[in-house]
Amino acid sequence: MSSVRHSKRVSPENRRRLFSTEQGDLFGELSTSAPQFVDLDIDMELRGAIVHAIREAANRTPPLSRDRIVDRMNDLLPGLAKKLTVRQLNSWTAASKEFSEFPARFIPVFCVAVESNEPQRVMAQALRLELVDADALAAKQIGESLIQEAELRQRRRELQLKLGGKSGKG
C-alpha cells in the first residue's frame, strides 16, 4: 500500500523521467557492438590442423615421428615440472577422446616443434584475424613506405607548381 501512495506522490514530470523509454537497451548495444562470429568452437578444426601438422612432419625428410615431436617440445620447455609424453600427444589429437583437448599453452611450442603455424592460423581465423610472418610484414612495410614516398613526391611537385615552378633546391 505504501508503494501505491508513494507512486501517487510522484509528479508527472518525475514519472516520465523514471519510466522513460528513451533509455538505451544494454543487451541491444552489446549485440551490435560485439563482433558477430559464426562459430567459435574450433575443436575439430584445431585437431585437424594439429593432426595435419604431425602428418606433414612425418612425411618430411628426415621424417619427424611423434616421439621426436614430443622430444622437441620438451627441449623447448625445459622448465616443465613433468615432461610431455607421446601418450599425451596421442590423447590430445584423438577425436575419440571427448574430454582430452590440446592445451592452449602448448600450441606455440608444438608449432615450433613441427615447423607449422596451421594450429595458430586456425585460432586466428576464428577471431577473423590473419597470421603474418616477419618477411610478409617487412614486405608490406616496404610497400607502404614506397607509397608514402610517391605521395610526398607528388605533394612536392604540387607545391613547386604553386610557387611558380621553383625547384626549391639550393
Side-chain angles (χ1 to χ4, degrees), residues 47-63:
R47 261 183 228 266
I50 291 168
V51 169
H52 180 74
I54 291 171
R55 286 186 185 142
E56 289 290 312
N59 291 330
R60 265 191 249 133
T61 305

Side-chain angles (χ1 to χ4, degrees), residues 132-146:
V132 179
D133 66 13
D135 290 342
L137 181 60
K140 178 181 179 267
Q141 290 172 337
I142 288 171
E144 288 172 350
S145 69
L146 291 171

Side-chain angles (χ1 to χ4, degrees), residues 15-31:
R15 189 170 295 147
R16 271 193 299 273
R17 225 176 326 137
L18 287 172
F19 300 107
S20 172
T21 57
E22 295 173 24
Q23 197 171 29
D25 177 16
L26 174 64
F27 295 107
E29 289 175 25
L30 285 175
S31 66

